[in-house]
Amino acid sequence: MLRAAALRVTAPRIAVLAAVHDHPHADTDTVIGLVRDALETVSHQAVYDVLRVLTGAGLLRRIQPTGSVARYETRVGDNHHHVVCRVCGAIADVDCAVGVAPCLTAADSRGFTVEEAEVIYWGRCPACVPQPTSDSR
């Protein structure tokens, strides 16, 4: 994967790719912790640099929902979207939007050639949805 993107294969790059692959939507601090578990001597700056390089090469996707820190994932190039819990901040992948979705077609693209739309659905995850009690009569 790294060679196909014309990047040198290094231990920090392999460790970052593995960490993000195993922990989709991980934030930078989480990635740093996971990489440090694998490579004790890696610096914060090295991980930041690797994240930037891998994102620039298209091997990682950086997302940053409003009010959240940057998160990373290895699922790239398929124009999928995300659903974010307003309560706990959990993030999950959602395949492309279906049905009538006028927001996916720009009313006026201002001369841009639109290549993809980024959609974030907001709501509550199953763990944060209040469950009805059996005492409600």
Coordinates of all heavy atoms in Angstrom, one line a residue, residues 14-93:
I14 N 3.8 2.1 9.0 CA 3.1 0.8 9.2 C 2.3 0.8 10.5 O 1.1 0.4 10.5 CB 4.1 -0.3 9.2 CG1 4.7 -0.5 7.8 CG2 3.4 -1.6 9.6 CD1 5.9 -1.4 7.7
A15 N 2.9 1.3 11.6 CA 2.2 1.3 12.9 C 1.0 2.3 12.8 O -0.1 1.9 13.4 CB 3.2 1.8 14.0
V16 N 1.1 3.4 12.2 CA -0.1 4.3 12.1 C -1.2 3.7 11.2 O -2.3 3.7 11.6 CB 0.4 5.7 11.5 CG1 -0.9 6.6 11.2 CG2 1.2 6.5 12.6
L17 N -0.8 3.1 10.1 CA -1.8 2.5 9.3 C -2.6 1.4 10.0 O -3.8 1.3 10.0 CB -1.2 1.9 8.0 CG -1.0 2.9 6.9 CD1 -0.1 2.3 5.8 CD2 -2.3 3.4 6.3
A18 N -1.8 0.6 10.8 CA -2.4 -0.5 11.5 C -3.3 0.0 12.6 O -4.4 -0.5 12.8 CB -1.3 -1.4 12.1
A19 N -2.9 1.1 13.3 CA -3.7 1.6 14.4 C -5.0 2.2 13.9 O -6.0 1.9 14.5 CB -2.9 2.7 15.1
V20 N -4.9 2.9 12.8 CA -6.2 3.5 12.2 C -7.1 2.4 11.6 O -8.3 2.5 11.8 CB -5.8 4.6 11.2 CG1 -7.1 5.1 10.6 CG2 -5.1 5.7 11.9
H21 N -6.4 1.4 11.0 CA -7.2 0.3 10.4 C -8.0 -0.4 11.5 O -9.2 -0.8 11.4 CB -6.3 -0.6 9.7 CG -7.1 -1.8 9.1 ND1 -7.2 -3.0 9.8 CD2 -7.7 -2.0 7.9 CE1 -7.9 -3.8 9.1 NE2 -8.3 -3.2 7.9
D22 N -7.3 -0.7 12.7 CA -7.9 -1.4 13.8 C -8.9 -0.6 14.6 O -9.7 -1.1 15.4 CB -6.8 -2.0 14.6 CG -6.0 -3.1 13.9 OD1 -6.5 -3.6 12.9 OD2 -4.9 -3.5 14.4
H23 N -8.8 0.7 14.5 CA -9.6 1.7 15.3 C -10.1 2.8 14.5 O -9.6 3.9 14.6 CB -8.7 2.2 16.5 CG -8.2 1.2 17.4 ND1 -7.1 0.5 17.2 CD2 -8.8 0.6 18.6 CE1 -6.9 -0.4 18.2 NE2 -7.9 -0.3 19.0
P24 N -11.1 2.5 13.6 CA -11.6 3.5 12.7 C -12.2 4.7 13.5 O -12.7 4.5 14.6 CB -12.8 2.8 12.0 CG -12.5 1.3 12.2 CD -11.8 1.2 13.4
H25 N -12.0 5.9 13.0 CA -12.4 7.1 13.6 C -11.6 7.5 14.8 O -12.1 8.2 15.7 CB -13.9 7.1 13.8 CG -14.7 6.6 12.6 ND1 -15.6 5.6 12.7 CD2 -14.7 7.1 11.4 CE1 -16.1 5.4 11.5 NE2 -15.6 6.3 10.7
A26 N -10.4 6.9 15.0 CA -9.6 7.3 16.1 C -9.1 8.7 16.0 O -8.8 9.2 14.9 CB -8.4 6.3 16.2
D27 N -9.0 9.4 17.2 CA -8.4 10.7 17.2 C -6.9 10.6 17.3 O -6.4 9.5 17.5 CB -9.0 11.6 18.3 CG -8.7 11.0 19.7 OD1 -7.7 10.3 19.9 OD2 -9.5 11.3 20.6
T28 N -6.2 11.7 17.1 CA -4.8 11.8 17.1 C -4.2 11.2 18.4 O -3.2 10.4 18.3 CB -4.3 13.2 16.8 OG1 -4.9 13.7 15.7 CG2 -2.8 13.2 16.7
D29 N -4.7 11.6 19.5 CA -4.2 11.1 20.8 C -4.3 9.6 20.9 O -3.4 8.9 21.4 CB -4.9 11.7 22.0 CG -4.4 13.2 22.2 OD1 -3.4 13.6 21.7 OD2 -5.2 13.9 22.8
T30 N -5.4 9.0 20.4 CA -5.6 7.6 20.4 C -4.6 6.9 19.5 O -3.9 5.9 19.9 CB -7.0 7.2 20.0 OG1 -7.9 7.8 21.0 CG2 -7.2 5.7 20.0
V31 N -4.4 7.5 18.3 CA -3.4 6.9 17.4 C -2.0 7.0 18.0 O -1.3 6.0 17.9 CB -3.4 7.7 16.0 CG1 -2.3 7.2 15.1 CG2 -4.8 7.5 15.4
I32 N -1.7 8.1 18.6 CA -0.3 8.2 19.3 C -0.1 7.1 20.3 O 0.9 6.4 20.3 CB -0.1 9.6 19.9 CG1 0.0 10.7 18.8 CG2 1.1 9.6 20.8 CD1 0.0 12.1 19.3
G33 N -1.1 6.9 21.1 CA -1.1 5.9 22.2 C -0.9 4.5 21.6 O -0.1 3.7 22.0
L34 N -1.7 4.2 20.5 CA -1.6 2.9 19.9 C -0.2 2.7 19.2 O 0.4 1.6 19.3 CB -2.7 2.7 18.9 CG -4.1 2.7 19.5 CD1 -5.1 2.9 18.4 CD2 -4.3 1.3 20.2
V35 N 0.3 3.7 18.6 CA 1.6 3.6 17.9 C 2.7 3.5 18.9 O 3.6 2.7 18.8 CB 1.8 4.8 17.0 CG1 3.3 4.8 16.4 CG2 0.8 4.8 15.8
R36 N 2.6 4.2 20.0 CA 3.6 4.0 21.1 C 3.6 2.7 21.7 O 4.6 2.2 22.2 CB 3.4 5.1 22.2 CG 3.9 6.5 21.7 CD 4.4 7.2 22.9 NE 5.3 8.3 22.4 CZ 5.3 9.4 23.0 NH1 4.6 9.7 24.1 NH2 6.1 10.4 22.5
D37 N 2.4 2.0 21.8 CA 2.4 0.6 22.3 C 3.2 -0.3 21.4 O 3.8 -1.2 21.8 CB 0.9 0.1 22.3 CG 0.1 0.7 23.5 OD1 0.7 1.4 24.4 OD2 -1.1 0.6 23.4
A38 N 3.2 0.0 20.1 CA 3.9 -0.8 19.1 C 5.4 -0.4 19.0 O 6.3 -1.2 18.8 CB 3.2 -0.7 17.7
L39 N 5.6 0.9 19.0 CA 6.9 1.5 18.8 C 7.2 2.5 20.0 O 6.8 3.6 19.9 CB 7.1 2.3 17.5 CG 6.7 1.5 16.2 CD1 6.7 2.5 15.1 CD2 7.7 0.4 16.0
E40 N 7.8 2.1 21.0 CA 7.9 2.9 22.2 C 8.6 4.2 22.0 O 8.4 5.2 22.7 CB 8.7 2.1 23.3 CG 7.9 0.9 23.7 CD 8.7 0.0 24.7 OE1 9.8 0.4 25.1 OE2 8.2 -1.0 25.1
T41 N 9.5 4.3 21.0 CA 10.3 5.5 20.9 C 9.8 6.5 19.9 O 10.5 7.5 19.6 CB 11.8 5.1 20.5 OG1 11.7 4.5 19.2 CG2 12.4 4.3 21.5
V42 N 8.6 6.3 19.3 CA 8.1 7.3 18.3 C 7.6 8.6 19.0 O 7.0 8.5 20.1 CB 7.0 6.6 17.5 CG1 5.7 6.5 18.3 CG2 6.7 7.5 16.3
S43 N 7.9 9.7 18.4 CA 7.5 11.0 19.0 C 6.1 11.4 18.6 O 5.6 10.9 17.5 CB 8.5 12.1 18.6 OG 8.3 12.4 17.2
H44 N 5.5 12.3 19.3 CA 4.2 12.9 18.9 C 4.3 13.5 17.5 O 3.4 13.2 16.7 CB 3.8 14.0 19.9 CG 3.2 13.5 21.2 ND1 3.9 12.9 22.1 CD2 1.9 13.5 21.6 CE1 3.1 12.6 23.1 NE2 1.9 13.0 22.9
Q45 N 5.4 14.2 17.3 CA 5.5 14.9 16.0 C 5.6 13.9 14.9 O 5.1 14.2 13.8 CB 6.7 15.9 16.0 CG 6.8 16.8 14.8 CD 5.6 17.7 14.7 OE1 5.2 18.3 15.6 NE2 5.0 17.7 13.5
A46 N 6.3 12.8 15.1 CA 6.4 11.8 14.1 C 5.1 11.3 13.7 O 4.8 11.1 12.5 CB 7.4 10.7 14.5
V47 N 4.2 11.0 14.6 CA 2.9 10.5 14.4 C 2.1 11.6 13.6 O 1.4 11.3 12.6 CB 2.2 10.0 15.6 CG1 0.7 9.6 15.3 CG2 2.9 8.9 16.3
Y48 N 2.1 12.8 14.1 CA 1.5 13.9 13.3 C 1.9 14.0 11.9 O 1.1 14.1 11.0 CB 1.7 15.3 14.0 CG 0.9 15.5 15.2 CD1 1.4 15.5 16.5 CD2 -0.5 15.8 15.1 CE1 0.6 15.7 17.6 CE2 -1.3 16.1 16.2 CZ -0.7 16.0 17.5 OH -1.5 16.3 18.6
D49 N 3.2 13.9 11.7 CA 3.8 13.9 10.3 C 3.3 12.8 9.5 O 2.9 12.9 8.3 CB 5.3 13.9 10.4 CG 5.9 15.2 11.0 OD1 5.1 16.2 11.1 OD2 7.1 15.2 11.3
V50 N 3.3 11.6 10.1 CA 2.8 10.4 9.3 C 1.3 10.5 9.0 O 0.9 10.2 7.8 CB 3.1 9.1 10.1 CG1 2.4 7.9 9.5 CG2 4.6 8.8 10.2
L51 N 0.5 11.0 9.9 CA -0.9 11.2 9.6 C -1.1 12.2 8.5 O -1.9 11.9 7.6 CB -1.6 11.7 10.9 CG -1.9 10.7 12.0 CD1 -2.3 11.3 13.2 CD2 -2.9 9.6 11.5
R52 N -0.3 13.2 8.5 CA -0.4 14.2 7.4 C 0.0 13.6 6.0 O -0.7 13.8 5.0 CB 0.5 15.4 7.7 CG 0.4 16.6 6.7 CD 1.3 17.7 7.0 NE 2.7 17.3 7.5 CZ 3.6 16.9 6.7 NH1 3.4 16.8 5.4 NH2 4.8 16.6 7.1
V53 N 1.1 12.9 6.0 CA 1.6 12.3 4.8 C 0.6 11.2 4.3 O 0.3 11.2 3.1 CB 3.0 11.7 5.0 CG1 3.4 10.8 3.9 CG2 4.1 12.8 5.2
L54 N 0.1 10.4 5.1 CA -0.8 9.3 4.7 C -2.1 9.9 4.2 O -2.7 9.4 3.3 CB -1.0 8.3 5.8 CG 0.3 7.5 6.2 CD1 -0.1 6.5 7.4 CD2 0.9 6.7 5.1
T55 N -2.6 11.0 4.9 CA -3.8 11.6 4.4 C -3.6 12.3 3.1 O -4.4 12.1 2.2 CB -4.2 12.7 5.5 OG1 -4.5 12.0 6.7 CG2 -5.5 13.3 5.0
G56 N -2.4 12.9 2.9 CA -2.1 13.6 1.6 C -2.0 12.6 0.5 O -2.3 12.9 -0.7
A57 N -1.5 11.4 0.8 CA -1.3 10.3 -0.2 C -2.6 9.6 -0.5 O -2.7 8.7 -1.4 CB -0.2 9.4 0.3
G58 N -3.7 9.9 0.3 CA -5.0 9.2 0.1 C -5.1 7.9 0.7 O -6.0 7.1 0.4
L59 N -4.2 7.5 1.6 CA -4.2 6.3 2.3 C -5.1 6.3 3.6 O -5.6 5.3 4.1 CB -2.8 5.8 2.7 CG -1.9 5.5 1.5 CD1 -0.5 5.0 1.9 CD2 -2.5 4.4 0.5
L60 N -5.3 7.5 4.1 CA -6.1 7.8 5.2 C -7.1 8.9 4.9 O -6.8 9.8 4.0 CB -5.3 8.3 6.5 CG -4.4 7.3 7.1 CD1 -3.7 7.9 8.3 CD2 -5.1 6.0 7.5
R61 N -8.2 8.9 5.5 CA -9.2 10.0 5.4 C -9.3 10.7 6.7 O -9.4 10.0 7.8 CB -10.5 9.5 5.0 CG -11.6 10.6 4.8 CD -12.9 9.9 4.3 NE -14.0 10.9 4.2 CZ -15.2 10.6 4.0 NH1 -15.6 9.4 3.8 NH2 -16.1 11.6 3.9
R62 N -9.2 12.0 6.7 CA -9.4 12.8 7.9 C -10.8 13.4 7.9 O -11.2 14.0 7.0 CB -8.3 14.0 7.9 CG -8.4 14.8 9.1 CD -7.3 16.0 8.9 NE -7.2 16.8 10.1 CZ -7.9 17.9 10.4 NH1 -8.9 18.2 9.5 NH2 -7.7 18.6 11.5
I63 N -11.5 13.2 9.0 CA -12.8 13.8 9.2 C -12.8 14.6 10.5 O -12.0 14.3 11.4 CB -13.9 12.7 9.2 CG1 -13.8 11.8 10.4 CG2 -14.0 12.0 7.9 CD1 -15.0 10.9 10.7
Q64 N -13.6 15.7 10.5 CA -13.6 16.5 11.7 C -15.1 17.0 11.9 O -15.3 18.2 11.5 CB -12.6 17.6 11.7 CG -12.5 18.3 13.0 CD -11.3 19.2 13.2 OE1 -10.5 19.4 12.2 NE2 -11.1 19.8 14.3
P65 N -16.0 16.2 12.4 CA -17.3 16.7 12.7 C -17.3 18.0 13.6 O -16.4 18.1 14.4 CB -18.0 15.6 13.4 CG -17.2 14.4 13.0 CD -15.8 14.8 12.9
T66 N -18.2 18.8 13.4 CA -18.3 20.1 14.2 C -18.2 19.7 15.7 O -18.9 18.8 16.1 CB -19.6 20.8 13.9 OG1 -19.7 21.1 12.5 CG2 -19.7 22.1 14.7
G67 N -17.4 20.4 16.4 CA -17.2 20.2 17.8 C -16.4 19.0 18.2 O -16.2 18.7 19.4
S68 N -15.7 18.4 17.2 CA -14.9 17.2 17.5 C -13.5 17.5 17.0 O -13.2 18.3 16.2 CB -15.4 16.0 16.7 OG -14.6 14.9 16.9
V69 N -12.5 16.7 17.6 CA -11.2 16.8 17.1 C -11.1 16.0 15.8 O -12.0 15.2 15.5 CB -10.2 16.2 18.2 CG1 -10.2 17.0 19.4 CG2 -10.5 14.7 18.5
A70 N -10.0 16.1 15.1 CA -9.8 15.4 13.9 C -9.8 13.9 14.2 O -9.3 13.4 15.2 CB -8.5 15.8 13.2
R71 N -10.4 13.1 13.3 CA -10.4 11.7 13.4 C -9.9 11.1 12.1 O -10.0 11.8 11.0 CB -11.8 11.2 13.6 CG -12.5 11.9 14.7 CD -12.6 11.1 15.9 NE -13.3 11.8 17.0 CZ -13.5 11.2 18.1 NH1 -13.2 9.9 18.3 NH2 -14.1 11.8 19.1
Y72 N -9.4 9.9 12.1 CA -8.8 9.2 10.9 C -9.4 7.9 10.6 O -9.8 7.2 11.6 CB -7.3 9.1 11.1 CG -6.7 10.5 11.2 CD1 -6.5 11.1 12.4 CD2 -6.3 11.2 10.0 CE1 -6.0 12.3 12.5 CE2 -5.7 12.4 10.1 CZ -5.5 13.0 11.4 OH -5.0 14.3 11.5
E73 N -9.5 7.5 9.4 CA -10.0 6.2 9.0 C -9.3 5.7 7.7 O -8.7 6.6 7.0 CB -11.5 6.2 8.8 CG -11.9 7.1 7.6 CD -13.5 7.2 7.5 OE1 -14.2 6.4 8.2 OE2 -13.9 8.0 6.7
T74 N -9.2 4.4 7.5 CA -8.6 3.9 6.3 C -9.6 3.6 5.2 O -9.2 3.3 4.1 CB -7.9 2.5 6.6 OG1 -8.8 1.6 7.2 CG2 -6.7 2.8 7.6
R75 N -10.8 3.8 5.5 CA -11.9 3.6 4.4 C -11.9 4.9 3.6 O -12.4 5.9 4.0 CB -13.2 3.4 5.0 CG -14.3 3.0 4.0 CD -15.6 2.7 4.7 NE -16.6 2.5 3.6 CZ -17.9 2.4 3.9 NH1 -18.3 2.2 5.1 NH2 -18.8 2.3 2.9
V76 N -11.2 4.8 2.4 CA -11.1 6.0 1.6 C -11.6 5.7 0.2 O -11.7 4.5 -0.2 CB -9.6 6.4 1.5 CG1 -9.0 6.9 2.8 CG2 -8.7 5.3 0.9
G77 N -11.9 6.7 -0.6 CA -12.3 6.6 -2.0 C -13.6 6.1 -2.3 O -13.9 5.8 -3.5
D78 N -14.5 5.9 -1.3 CA -15.8 5.3 -1.7 C -17.0 6.3 -1.4 O -18.1 5.9 -1.5 CB -16.0 4.0 -0.9 CG -16.1 4.2 0.6 OD1 -15.9 5.3 1.1 OD2 -16.5 3.2 1.2
N79 N -16.7 7.5 -1.0 CA -17.7 8.6 -0.8 C -18.7 8.1 0.2 O -19.9 8.4 0.1 CB -18.3 9.0 -2.1 CG -19.1 10.3 -2.0 OD1 -18.7 11.1 -1.2 ND2 -20.1 10.5 -2.8
H80 N -18.3 7.4 1.3 CA -19.3 7.1 2.3 C -19.4 8.3 3.3 O -18.7 9.3 3.2 CB -18.8 5.9 3.1 CG -17.7 6.0 4.0 ND1 -16.4 6.0 3.5 CD2 -17.6 6.3 5.3 CE1 -15.5 6.2 4.5 NE2 -16.2 6.4 5.6
H81 N -20.4 8.2 4.1 CA -20.7 9.3 5.0 C -20.6 8.8 6.5 O -20.2 7.7 6.7 CB -22.1 9.9 4.7 CG -22.3 10.2 3.3 ND1 -21.6 11.1 2.6 CD2 -23.2 9.7 2.4 CE1 -22.0 11.1 1.3 NE2 -22.9 10.3 1.2
H82 N -21.0 9.7 7.4 CA -20.8 9.4 8.8 C -22.1 9.8 9.6 O -22.8 10.7 9.2 CB -19.6 10.0 9.4 CG -18.3 9.6 8.8 ND1 -17.7 10.2 7.8 CD2 -17.6 8.5 9.1 CE1 -16.7 9.5 7.4 NE2 -16.6 8.5 8.2
V83 N -22.3 9.0 10.7 CA -23.4 9.4 11.6 C -22.7 9.6 13.0 O -21.8 8.8 13.3 CB -24.5 8.3 11.7 CG1 -24.0 7.0 12.1 CG2 -25.6 8.8 12.6
V84 N -23.0 10.7 13.6 CA -22.3 11.1 14.9 C -23.4 11.2 16.0 O -24.4 11.9 15.8 CB -21.6 12.4 14.7 CG1 -20.9 12.9 16.0 CG2 -20.6 12.4 13.5
C85 N -23.1 10.6 17.1 CA -23.9 10.8 18.3 C -23.7 12.1 19.0 O -22.6 12.5 19.3 CB -23.7 9.6 19.3 SG -24.8 9.7 20.8
R86 N -24.8 12.9 19.1 CA -24.7 14.2 19.8 C -24.4 14.1 21.3 O -24.0 15.0 21.9 CB -26.1 14.9 19.6 CG -26.4 15.4 18.2 CD -27.6 16.2 18.2 NE -28.0 16.6 16.9 CZ -27.6 17.6 16.2 NH1 -26.7 18.4 16.7 NH2 -28.0 17.8 15.0
V87 N -24.6 12.9 21.8 CA -24.5 12.7 23.3 C -23.0 12.3 23.6 O -22.3 13.0 24.4 CB -25.5 11.7 23.9 CG1 -25.3 11.5 25.4 CG2 -26.9 12.2 23.6
C88 N -22.6 11.2 23.1 CA -21.3 10.6 23.4 C -20.2 10.8 22.4 O -19.0 10.6 22.7 CB -21.4 9.1 23.7 SG -21.8 8.1 22.3
G89 N -20.6 11.3 21.2 CA -19.6 11.5 20.2 C -19.2 10.3 19.3 O -18.3 10.4 18.5
A90 N -19.9 9.2 19.5 CA -19.6 8.0 18.7 C -19.8 8.3 17.3 O -20.7 9.0 16.9 CB -20.4 6.8 19.2
I91 N -18.9 7.7 16.4 CA -19.0 7.9 15.0 C -19.1 6.5 14.3 O -18.4 5.6 14.7 CB -17.8 8.7 14.4 CG1 -17.7 10.0 15.1 CG2 -17.9 8.8 12.9 CD1 -16.4 10.8 14.7
A92 N -20.0 6.4 13.3 CA -20.1 5.2 12.5 C -20.2 5.6 11.1 O -20.6 6.7 10.7 CB -21.3 4.4 13.0
D93 N -19.8 4.6 10.2 CA -19.8 4.8 8.8 C -21.3 4.6 8.3 O -22.0 3.7 8.8 CB -18.9 3.8 8.0 CG -17.5 4.1 8.2 OD1 -17.1 5.3 8.6 OD2 -16.6 3.2 8.1

